Amino acid sequence: MYEQIENQVKSAKKVVFVTGAGISQESGIPTFRGKDGLWRNYDAMKLATIDAFYDNPKLVWEWYNERRQNIFNSEPNLGHKAIAELENFVKVFVLTQNIDGLHQKAGSSNVLELHGSIVKIKCTVCDFKDELLTEFSNLPPLCKCGNILRPDVVWFGEGLPQDVWQEAIIQASSCDVMIIAGTSLVVSPANTLPIYAKQNNAVLIEINPDETIMSSDMDLSIRSTSAVALPELISIFKKQ
Ligand code: NAD
């Protein structure tokens, strides 16, 4: 299966990963799309918005409290670990849409969190930001300034942190291989990163059990889960 990309992969100097919710599915963290995306009959896609938050901050915080507990109790799977191990062989950057911190927990050192982190909270009004691993008892939690605190994540319709996004473009535009794992590639602007890589003539490899809207642009599509496919794919780099 790997013959057509093996030589280019072996000579790569920089490998960039673009990851999404699917890479953490085998760690027990649900994705947003599909039946997994339902929480107490609410649609996760509709809860992860600024409008939902201001309509009902208590409800959105209840959802985040449950997600926070699940994520804090989760461990990286073989897919996250394979990416971390690849650093022993080649320069690696991980551009992730995930907010779960599992790439860092697996040992990856160059992780750009495009959509923020569920561990972090910030005030909706003042400059207060913090990292917090404990649960809130009163919801929604309040800042010392009296206003509501929110998770420091990027909701649908919000802009990405510009410094992180600019760095992601630089890494995508200068890689030799881009491996896109566990993302439907429907969320913008993260779904433009493969285009930056293609402009640099990078090899594009997708790992996803299902077809995506960019499958026809890939040099190779591996129809498997990331915990199965990533350790196999990474073994090519070890063969040099
Ligand atoms: P998505 O839910 O749109 O798509 C998930 C993709 O992963 C699908 O294409 C699916 O076919 C694929 N998939 C499912 N199981 C897989 C597996 N085991 N291995 C490989 N692929 C698998 O996810 P998205 O593209 O990341 O976009 C959704 C948004 O939701 C992002 O902004 C992300 O921040 C957020 N989100 C994050 C987490 C997390 O941090 N773990 C969880 C849910 C949602």
Side-chain angles (χ1 to χ4, degrees):
M1 184 210 285
Y2 301 122
E3 295 79 33
Q4 79 255 41
I5 49 122
E6 196 162 339
N7 285 340
Q8 279 164 291
V9 164
K10 276 184 180 169
S11 60
K13 304 235 168 350
K14 191 199 283 184
V15 179
V16 163
F17 289 85
V18 174
T19 65
I23 198 172
S24 296
Q25 188 261 341
E26 285 153 301
S27 292
I29 302 173
T31 59
F32 275 1
R33 290 183 179 79
K35 62 172 171 36
D36 267 4
L38 285 183
W39 174 80
R40 293 190 207 160
N41 293 327
Y42 292 96
D43 180 349
M45 300 282 293
K46 293 194 180 130
L47 285 171
T49 66
I50 189 78
D51 288 347
F53 183 69
Y54 282 116
D55 276 357
N56 194 342
K58 186 167 184 288
L59 175 79
V60 173
W61 258 114
E62 280 168 359
W63 181 54
Y64 271 92
N65 246 2
E66 257 184 55
R67 292 183 72 202
R68 279 165 60 90
Q69 283 318 304
N70 182 28
I71 285 173
F72 296 161
N73 292 328
S74 299
E75 292 300 328
N77 62 53
L78 292 176
H80 299 105
K81 288 179 187 167
I83 295 176
E85 194 196 346
L86 189 61
E87 285 184 19
N88 297 323
F89 304 93
V90 67
K91 192 143 194 67
V92 175
F93 280 83
V94 183
L95 318 181
T96 189
Q97 297 166 81
N98 292 345
I99 56 172
D100 57 31
L102 289 186
H103 285 297
Q104 296 92 322
K105 209 168 174 182
S108 284
S109 22
N110 302 315
V111 182
L112 296 176
E113 293 180 311
L114 304 174
H115 294 167
S117 162
I118 202 161
V119 187
K120 296 181 188 153
I121 49 158
K122 65 179 181 185
C123 180
T124 47
V125 175
C126 79
D127 289 339
F128 177 77
K129 276 190 185 204
D130 204 0
E131 268 194 22
L132 204 80
L133 283 156
T134 50
E135 214 174 310
F136 295 105
S137 37
N138 292 322
L139 296 177
L142 296 181
C143 181
K144 280 188 192 133
C145 76
N147 290 293
I148 303 177
L149 291 168
R150 58 167 279 180
D152 192 3
V153 297
V154 177
W155 281 323
F156 292 113
E158 294 188 309
L160 272 54
Q162 274 311 297
D163 50 342
V164 177
W165 177 239
Q166 291 308 322
E167 180 63 22
I169 293 175
I170 290 170
Q171 298 308 334
S173 307
S174 57
C175 69
D176 308 301
V177 174
M178 178 173 274
I179 300 171
I180 300 144
T183 169
S184 56
L185 290 172
V186 297
V187 178
S188 173
N191 61 357
T192 61
L193 290 168
I195 300 167
Y196 288 100
K198 200 72 196 167
Q199 283 166 353
N200 193 42
N201 289 321
V203 180
L204 297 190
I205 303 169
E206 166 182 79
I207 298 173
N208 197 313
D210 294 331
E211 202 166 305
T212 70
I213 49 170
M214 289 186 74
S215 290
S216 59
D217 300 306
M218 299 293 150
D219 295 290
L220 177 67
S221 289
I222 305 174
R223 295 275 164 257
S224 179
T225 70
S226 46
V228 172
L230 277 167
E232 280 176 20
L233 183 60
I234 264 77
S235 65
I236 300 179
F237 292 88
K238 299 185 196 166
K239 279 199 236 154
Q240 344 218 358

